Amino acid sequence: ASLEIKDDDLEILLQAKTPLELLVHGPLPGIITDLCIAGSAAAADQLECSLDCVKSQLALQDQYGQTYKILSDTKCRNYLYLPFERCLYPHLTQLISGGLQSLRIDGQNYSPELLKKVVAIYQQVVQKGSSQDGYLEILKLFPDGLTPMPLLEV
């Protein structure tokens, strides 16, 4: 399902038993651009790119101190991520009982250790139907913050 889907629309799809996959945890991309943010900031010559943006971690910070990570690929495409990770963990039992059968964790930019921990926490709910302390564990793993948005309205 699209990251922008509203909870009412998701409920309709689940009731219709439409097969779908839902991102339940991971970073939220805000902007994808072909503009080289690092090169533009440094006023670098685009013809002699050093790929510093691929080799190091870059971020923008807004006036509230929130950090927006920037990831770049080797084709100089830049991905600007929102400051909070998407986390639907508190709503997982409701989503599963509503008919959701395929969950996705976007952990491609996590360390293997972090991804293993996140998957284990979500597996507890899927296998046991229990969601007792998992959310507190996830909060410890992601101290910059979590959000159910844009899907679930709080």
Side-chain angles (χ1 to χ4, degrees):
S2 168
L3 286 174
E4 292 84 16
I5 193 168
K6 299 289 184 201
D7 54 348
D8 293 342
D9 296 330
L10 178 62
E11 190 174 326
I12 290 169
L13 290 173
L14 291 174
Q15 287 175 355
K17 305 216 183 292
T18 305
L20 56 90
E21 178 181 77
L22 184 64
L23 174 68
V24 294
H25 194 97
L28 291 168
I31 298 172
I32 301 172
T33 179
D34 288 330
L35 171 70
C36 180
I37 297 173
S40 297
D45 182 0
Q46 293 291 341
L47 298 176
E48 303 216 11
C49 181
S50 64
L51 290 177
D52 284 337
C53 55
V54 176
K55 299 173 191 170
S56 59
Q57 291 191 344
L58 302 173
L60 296 175
Q61 193 171 50
D62 67 13
Q63 67 268 28
Y64 304 106
Q66 295 180 346
T67 302
Y68 296 77
K69 294 177 187 170
I70 302 169
L71 298 177
S72 303
D73 61 25
T74 55
K75 298 187 190 299
C76 219
R77 206 173 1 248
N78 286 238
Y79 303 83
L80 180 74
Y81 288 92
L82 299 178
F84 305 113
E85 297 274 328
R86 181 180 209 180
C87 178
L88 298 183
Y89 185 89
H91 310 281
L92 204 54
T93 54
Q94 175 188 356
L95 290 167
I96 292 170
S97 66
L100 184 65
Q101 295 180 7
S102 182
L103 314 175
R104 183 166 56 98
I105 295 171
D106 184 357
Q108 65 183 339
N109 296 313
Y110 295 166
S111 69
E113 297 81 22
L114 177 59
L115 182 57
K116 184 178 179 179
K117 289 177 183 179
V118 172
V119 169
I121 293 168
Y122 276 87
Q123 276 181 329
Q124 286 180 338
V125 176
V126 172
Q127 294 172 350
K128 299 177 184 173
S130 168
S131 61
Q132 295 169 337
D133 299 324
Y135 189 66
L136 294 177
E137 291 178 46
I138 292 174
L139 280 172
K140 289 176 190 172
L141 295 173
F142 298 92
D144 290 339
L146 301 168
T147 182
M149 304 307 259
L151 174 69
L152 302 170
E153 297 178 17
V154 208

